[in-house]
């Protein structure tokens, strides 16, 4: 969850630096330009619209990796 703003192309922009798009069934494409990281996920089993639990877990795990990398460097 979070507060989203949108670009002219329809990508969501989060305050924490992530940008991306989520599709029907749980697909997600997200990136953080300043950290040079990006992820994509296309499920083989579609989730009900709006749920996206797998995609949310993937983005959360990616966010943790970025934070760990910042602490190390």
């Amino acid at each position: 969850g979070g507060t989203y703003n949108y670009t002219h192309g329809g990508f969501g922009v989060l305050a924490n630096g992530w940008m991306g798009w989520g599709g029907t069934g749980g697909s997600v494409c997200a990136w953080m330009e300043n950290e040079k990281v990006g992820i994509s996920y296309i499920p083989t089993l579609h989730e009900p619209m709006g749920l996206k639990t797998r995609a949310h877990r993937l983005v959360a795990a990616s966010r943790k990796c970025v934070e760990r990398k910042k602490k190390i460097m």
Side-chain angles (χ1 to χ4, degrees):
T3 302
Y4 297 92
N5 292 313
Y6 293 92
T7 66
H8 289 294
F11 293 110
V13 182
L14 291 170
N16 63 9
W18 284 93
M19 205 175 192
W21 168 87
T24 304
S27 299
V28 68
C29 175
W31 61 93
M32 190 180 247
E33 259 186 80
N34 60 335
E35 298 295 336
K36 299 195 181 343
V37 65
I39 57 170
S40 291
Y41 173 67
I42 301 169
T44 55
L45 176 64
H46 283 217
E47 295 186 47
M49 195 165 171
L51 195 57
K52 296 182 179 49
T53 54
R54 291 182 194 100
H56 284 269
R57 286 195 310 254
L58 176 62
V59 172
S62 300
R63 188 179 313 135
K64 284 181 184 178
C65 289
V66 168
E67 292 303 318
R68 282 187 198 141
K69 179 184 165 196
K70 284 181 182 180
K71 287 179 183 178
I72 292 170
M73 299 184 132

